[in-house]
């Protein structure tokens, strides 16, 4: 066997709550002969966990989630009355779709790009290193990392269209740029080629990792957006991919909507694919309490630190919820109470979050509904702000609504509309189940927004439903080119093969 030497200064451990795959007592070596180190699937996963760690920055202030969310009609980050959160106008140009090649140095854009392609590089490196090594369940591990790499490419293709592409870690030249059709076909084929080899059912050992449920949900997403991305109708294929997830019998709709977002949401039977976090085992990535809450909310959630008061619900989006829709409680509005249930009063004034915002360029201190979808963890210390909730990327409600939308677009929604699990999504929200007559395009888009608010779906959904160029609240109408983000200037500077997306 050809010898490879793996230089390791430290293990970056995937932050699974069940650490059976990751031995926290691992010895650290400066140089380890690979063929002596990788003796089992467990050893490989301890190393390959780096590819999952690259997912962890996703919901940060300046990463992919905030880029897509702030460009949509769900979230907004207006300048405060005291000038805070102006940040050189970077949030405003994302919200108002004025990002272009001249402004492609936007910090959020650049960090989002870097996050995605660092994930791809990590997967390429792992596959290169383990390729010559023989170990138990090698085919399964390789399949898992290939599908995870395809997932990073899915993000890249969705946000930037034509992208640099390489699956060879040993390649030294800057990668060539491939168009969306090429990348789409690659992703779909990677899923189809590897789905049979990955873990069948979600278990504690495979929590937060690629499984068949994740792979088929991912495939359904690819087919659902194929009309937009490559001009081909693949809604029937999307519905069939959803059926593959349903047939596993491994997932169900939780009776309590908010069970999926608890501090310890690893017990959710609805969540299919998550980014796992732990306050002691991961860096500071998931700190939404800081992003959205006003400092006065510290009394409500017993927070040790001072929140930053920036990310708020866009006012128009709040009106999409009916008063009896319990999902509206994913956002804080109205009179706020302390942790004991007593109304909070600040300097003689009741602490009230108003869903409305009077001025985009001068938001009031308590204007804007605040996100509380993920349960906020009490008593985090000043130096530990990362919440323990695992961030949900795919859940079973998404599978059922993807199938419903696909069939609706095929004129076949009646085949699925009476499904008990599908109806439970509505009834647990305090609403009546849909009939076929209820399913207009606009209502279905609104319902997707209500169900998956702030989960990172909205930009893709708005584009698919043809409303991305519309005006909303303070955003003017924008052109079709604004469906894609410009490639960051830093990437253009380092790779002469890249051509900028048209403005």
């Amino acid at each position: 066997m050809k010898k490879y030497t793996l230089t390791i200064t430290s293990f970056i451990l995937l932050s699974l709550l069940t650490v059976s795959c990751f031995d926290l007592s691992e010895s650290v070596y400066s140089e380890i002969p690979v063929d002596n180190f990788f003796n089992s699937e467990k050893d490989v996963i301890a190393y390959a966990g780096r590819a999952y760690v690259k997912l962890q920055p996703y919901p940060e202030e300046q990463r992919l989630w905030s880029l897509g969310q702030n460009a949509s009609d769900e979230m907004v980050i207006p300048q405060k009355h005291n000038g805070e959160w102006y940040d050189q106008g970077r949030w405003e140009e994302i919200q108002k779709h004025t990002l272009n090649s001249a402004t492609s140095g936007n910090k959020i854009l650049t960090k989002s790009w870097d996050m995605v392609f660092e994930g791809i590089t990590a997967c390429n490196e792992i596959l290169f290193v383990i390729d010559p090594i023989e170990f138990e369940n090698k085919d399964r591990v390789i399949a898992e990392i290939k599908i995870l790499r395809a997932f990073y490419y899915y993000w890249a293709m969705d946000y930037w269209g034509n992208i640099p592409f390489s699956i060879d870690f040993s390649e030294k030249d800057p990668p060539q740029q491939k168009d969306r059709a090429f990348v789409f076909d690659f992703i779909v084929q990677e899923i189809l080629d590897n789905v049979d080899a990955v873990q069948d059912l979600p278990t504690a050992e495979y929590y937060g990792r690629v499984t068949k449920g994740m792979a088929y949900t991912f495939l359904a997403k690819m087919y659902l957006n194929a009309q937009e991305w490559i001009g081909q109708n693949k809604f029937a294929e999307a519905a069939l991919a959803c059926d593959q997830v349903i047939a596993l019998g491994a997932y169900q709709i939780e009776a309590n909507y908010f069970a999926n977002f608890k501090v310890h949401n690893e017990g959710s039977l609805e969540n299919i694919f998550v980014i796992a976090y732990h306050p002691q085992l991961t860096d500071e990535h998931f700190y939404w309490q800081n992003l959205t809450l006003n400092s006065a909310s510290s009394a409500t959630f017993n927070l040790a630190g001072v929140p930053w008061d920036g990310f708020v619900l866009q006012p128009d989006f709040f009106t999409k919820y009916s008063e009896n829709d319990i999902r509206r409680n994913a956002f804080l509005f109205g009179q706020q109470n302390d942790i004991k249930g007593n109304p909070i009063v600040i300097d003689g004034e009741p602490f009230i979050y108003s869903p409305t915002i009077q001025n985009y360029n001068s938001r009031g201190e308590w204007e804007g509904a605040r996100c509380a979808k993920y349960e906020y963890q009490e008593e985090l210390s000043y130096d530990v702000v990362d919440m323990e909730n695992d961030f949900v990327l795919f859940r079973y409600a998404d599978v059922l609504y993807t199938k419903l939308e696909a069939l609706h677009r095929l004129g076949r929604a009646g085949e699925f509309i009476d499904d008990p699990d599908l109806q439970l999504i509505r009834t647990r929200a305090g609403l009546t189940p849909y009939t076929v007559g209820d399913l207009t395009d606009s209502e279905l888009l609104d319902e997707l927004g209500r169900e998956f608010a702030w989960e990172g779906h909205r930009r893709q959904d708005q584009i698919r439903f043809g409303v991305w160029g519309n005006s909303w609240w303070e955003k003017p109408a924008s052109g079709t080119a604004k469906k894609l983000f410009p490639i960051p200037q830093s990437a253009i500077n380092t790779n002469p093969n890249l051509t900028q997306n048209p403005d």
Side-chain angles (χ1 to χ4, degrees), residues 113 117 160 162-165 174-178 487-501:
W113 173 280
F117 284 93
W160 289 284
N162 302 338
I163 54 174
F165 179 85
Q176 296 294 318
Q177 190 170 18
K178 299 294 185 179
I487 295 173
Q489 190 59 45
S490 58
I492 297 285
N493 293 342
T494 57
N495 186 346
N497 299 321
L498 298 184
T499 301
Q500 184 60 268
N501 292 322

Side-chain angles (χ1 to χ4, degrees), residues 444-463:
L444 186 52
L445 177 61
D446 283 351
E447 175 65 7
L448 292 174
R450 292 184 291 257
E451 178 66 24
F452 302 107
W454 284 41
E455 293 184 43
H457 294 213
R458 190 62 175 174
R459 172 185 165 275
Q460 194 178 90
D461 292 347
Q462 285 189 282
I463 291 174

Side-chain angles (χ1 to χ4, degrees), residues 349-360:
E349 182 180 354
F351 174 32
I352 297 173
Y353 279 132
S354 168
T356 60
I357 301 173
Q358 298 302 317
N359 188 335
Y360 179 89

Side-chain angles (χ1 to χ4, degrees), residues 362-422:
S362 183
R363 176 178 64 78
E365 191 75 13
W366 299 337
E367 288 184 333
R370 312 306 169 97
C371 188
K373 187 169 193 171
Y374 282 88
E375 180 185 22
Y376 288 125
Q377 192 165 0
E378 295 180 20
E379 299 179 341
L380 290 176
S381 64
Y382 283 98
D383 59 341
V384 178
V385 300
D386 201 27
M387 300 192 303
E388 196 166 350
N389 323 56
D390 300 326
F391 190 90
V392 182
L393 293 172
F394 292 151
R395 55 189 175 93
Y396 194 48
D398 195 7
V399 173
L400 300 183
Y401 268 175
T402 295
K403 181 176 179 178
L404 178 64
E405 181 187 337
L407 293 176
H408 165 70
R409 292 178 181 275
L410 294 168
R412 296 165 45 196
E415 299 175 16
F416 190 55
I417 199 70
D418 294 327
D419 181 85
D421 283 338
L422 179 72

